[in-house]
């Protein structure tokens, strides 16, 4: 499965298309493929907005929850100041987003929350000089919705 470099806005569409194709090849239904394309798009656009550059890895997984797809976005850039704040819709990692700033920043502050809601597993890893976000979505949702796992370095 592919590793998609993210350096330019057009790369967001490449990630989105690659995730959708990979999900379809793994047997995900059309709606799930569309939702996963949103996850890939949000991960890639966040790399451009908040990091210097990075990449998104797409991989098939199979574990105790069954088969699925994993997306791992790694960027080179600043760490989250406050991950809990960044997870809230309408907020960034500093707190509530002023509506006047939403157009300038090209987003409403709902990306990380959407990524977590459309995935079965979500984990953030702070790296020296960047961060990594791991998400997994399974073909068949696990019986219990797993809580987000947050790792702060």
């Amino acid at each position: 499965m592919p590793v998609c470099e993210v350096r330019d806005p057009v790369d967001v569409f490449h990630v989105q298309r690659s995730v959708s194709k990979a999900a379809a090849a793994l047997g995900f239904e059309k709606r799930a493929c569309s939702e996963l394309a949103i996850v890939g798009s949000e991960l890639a656009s966040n790399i451009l907005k908040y990091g210097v550059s990075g990449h998104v890895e797409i991989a098939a997984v199979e574990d105790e929850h069954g088969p699925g797809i994993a997306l791992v976005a790694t960027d080179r850039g600043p760490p989250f100041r406050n991950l809990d704040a960044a997870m809230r819709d309408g907020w960034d990692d500093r707190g509530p987003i002023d509506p006047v700033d939403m157009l300038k920043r090209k987003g409403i502050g709902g990306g990380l929350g959407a990524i977590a809601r459309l995935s079965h597993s979500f984990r953030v890893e702070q790296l020296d000089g960047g961060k990594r976000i791991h998400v997994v979505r399974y073909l068949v949702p696990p019986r219990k919705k797993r809580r987000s796992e947050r790792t702060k370095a």
Side-chain angles (χ1 to χ4, degrees):
M1 298 239 158
V3 174
C4 304
E5 293 297 322
V6 180
R7 295 187 187 106
D8 189 78
V10 74
D11 295 332
V12 174
F13 299 105
H14 177 66
V15 170
Q16 187 178 40
R17 187 173 51 253
S18 296
V19 170
S20 183
K21 286 174 72 174
L26 292 170
F28 282 91
E29 294 180 2
K30 187 175 181 176
R31 179 180 174 151
C33 290
S34 296
E35 291 172 349
L36 284 160
I38 291 168
V39 171
S41 177
E42 288 293 339
L43 289 168
S45 64
N46 283 349
I47 289 171
L48 291 177
K49 284 181 196 175
Y50 306 111
V52 176
S53 62
H55 61 273
V56 177
E57 300 171 55
I58 305 164
V61 295
E62 181 137 7
D63 60 23
E64 68 273 8
H65 301 291
I69 188 169
L71 306 178
V72 181
T74 305
D75 75 18
R76 290 171 289 287
F80 286 109
R81 290 177 191 91
N82 182 334
L83 180 58
D84 290 330
M87 293 294 297
R88 295 182 63 177
D89 290 345
W91 289 48
D92 64 14
D93 66 352
R94 294 179 188 200
I97 299 168
D98 185 335
V100 173
D101 293 332
M102 286 188 184
L103 285 176
K104 180 173 53 177
R105 65 186 302 280
K106 300 177 184 169
I108 61 170
L112 278 182
I115 291 167
R117 286 187 294 273
L118 295 173
S119 304
H120 296 124
S121 173
F122 175 89
R123 181 171 46 99
V124 174
E125 187 181 350
Q126 301 282 23
L127 305 173
D128 188 30
K131 57 197 156 298
R132 185 173 293 136
I133 299 175
H134 301 257
V135 297
V136 177
R137 173 126 175 204
Y138 296 98
L139 274 168
V140 177
R143 286 189 180 182
K144 283 185 175 181
K145 176 88 172 159
R146 292 180 29 188
R147 286 185 161 289
S148 296
E149 302 167 28
R150 298 185 186 145
T151 306
K152 298 179 185 176

